[in-house]
Amino acid sequence: DQQVKQNSPSLSVQEGRISILNCDYTNSMFDYFLWYKKYPAEGPTFLISISSIKDKNEDGRFTVFLNKSAKHLSLHIVPSQPGDSAVYFCAASAQGGSEKLVFGKGTKLTVNP
Amino acid sequence: NAGVTQTPKFRILKIGQSMTLQCTQDMNHNYMYWYRQDPGMGLKLIYYSVGAGITDKGEVPNGYNVSRSTTEDFPLRLELAAPSQTSVYFCASRELGTEAFFGQGTRLTVV
């Protein structure tokens, strides 16, 4: 039972354009969501997070949107840069319940110069 | 600033052998996690711990054991290694409500 789903295995965009990565979740107890970036042969690194009390969080070129009613979140990268090419993982946890941090399968983003 | 340190970085095991993957963190985090990542797949939770002396199973615990005798260390034990355990293993730590910090990973091959 996959509780966090990233249905697009890959995404290709042109440098300077917007990248939109999507994530859906099924567990209504999840109230804290995170995005991680992973380069080959490295551990995942934290990008941005959002609590369920918000519907948007921005950090520089990265913005995460949360739609609780749809159980959907998205990561926007504007403008996209070739160095953003990596695998992006969505993760979720329930702060008031289980302390598990559950990850999706990831989306491989390629930003073409 | 060491963060989360995993050893070894690479290991080849023969079927039936056992080994311990080491993980230590210097951030005084209560929560620690072990994940495995298979090719083309996401991170699957093996075991996690909410503090010294407390551990619990994740999604894929079979074939593994853990212990948490100190806040800093969270070793993962593989008994009777099988080819299905060939994977990249990541350890992470966090405090509740904050981001998790990951180690660099251990690439394990069972032949």
Side-chain angles (χ1 to χ4, degrees), chain B residues 2-7 9 22-26 34 91 102-104:
Chain B
V4 179
T5 303
Q6 290 183 237
T7 55
K9 287 187 169 52
Q22 301 291 346
C23 175
T24 187
Q25 52 97 3
D26 62 0
W34 273 106
C91 178
F102 281 81
Q104 291 296 296

Side-chain angles (χ1 to χ4, degrees), chain A residues 32 34 36 44 46 99 101 103, chain B residues 2-6 23-35 45 47-51 68 70-74 90-104:
Chain A
Y32 185 62
L34 309 92
Y36 281 81
F46 171 73
E99 296 80 9
L101 186 57
F103 282 78
Chain B
V4 179
T5 303
Q6 290 183 237
C23 175
T24 187
Q25 52 97 3
D26 62 0
M27 295 170 282
N28 203 33
H29 287 164
N30 283 310
Y31 301 91
M32 294 189 74
Y33 306 82
W34 273 106
Y35 293 90
L45 182 63
Y47 270 95
Y48 67 105
S49 169
V50 302
R68 184 94 183 271
T70 66
T71 299
E72 294 78 20
D73 300 305
F74 190 40
F90 291 102
C91 178
S93 73
R94 71 192 282 240
E95 278 304 327
L96 198 61
T98 68
E99 70 268 26
F101 294 84
F102 281 81
Q104 291 296 296

